[in-house]
Amino acid sequence: MDMPDDVRLIDEADRYGRFRRISWWRQEKLAAAKVLVVGAGALGNEVLKNLALLGVGQVYIIDYDTIESTNLTRSVLYRT
């Protein structure tokens, strides 16, 4: 079966294959990016998690706060 030229197939072995279907998406630019996140609380945790899942190359974190056990329920980065 012949497919039109504008059809893009998803390579299931490619972790970012679905993103590559977006015409302006450049995974290599994300892989080369350096990002600074100031604050790694509840919101910062979500941002950091998503940056990692997107494949951002280097992520720098600045946070001078102390982790409290009551915050662990809202955090994917910290454990007891």
Side-chain angles (χ1 to χ4, degrees):
M1 179 176 161
D2 292 331
M3 292 191 170
D5 292 335
D6 62 342
V7 172
R8 296 183 183 201
L9 298 177
I10 296 174
D11 179 3
E12 294 298 333
D14 180 6
R15 180 178 186 165
Y16 306 106
R18 292 180 189 266
F19 291 128
R20 293 183 204 283
R21 295 183 71 189
I22 303 170
S23 62
W24 50 265
W25 191 266
R26 299 294 176 262
Q27 189 63 40
E28 54 281 349
K29 284 188 177 185
L30 273 178
K34 296 177 183 178
V35 177
L36 171 66
V37 177
V38 179
L43 181 59
N45 259 253
E46 287 300 310
V47 169
L48 291 163
K49 176 193 73 170
N50 290 331
L51 289 171
L53 290 172
L54 283 172
V56 171
Q58 294 182 19
V59 179
Y60 300 93
I61 306 165
I62 295 176
D63 191 325
Y64 295 109
D65 203 358
T66 303
I67 303 166
E68 297 180 19
S69 61
T70 56
N71 295 335
L72 295 177
T73 58
R74 298 181 305 277
S75 170
V76 295
L77 295 179
Y78 311 119
R79 299 287 180 259
T80 54

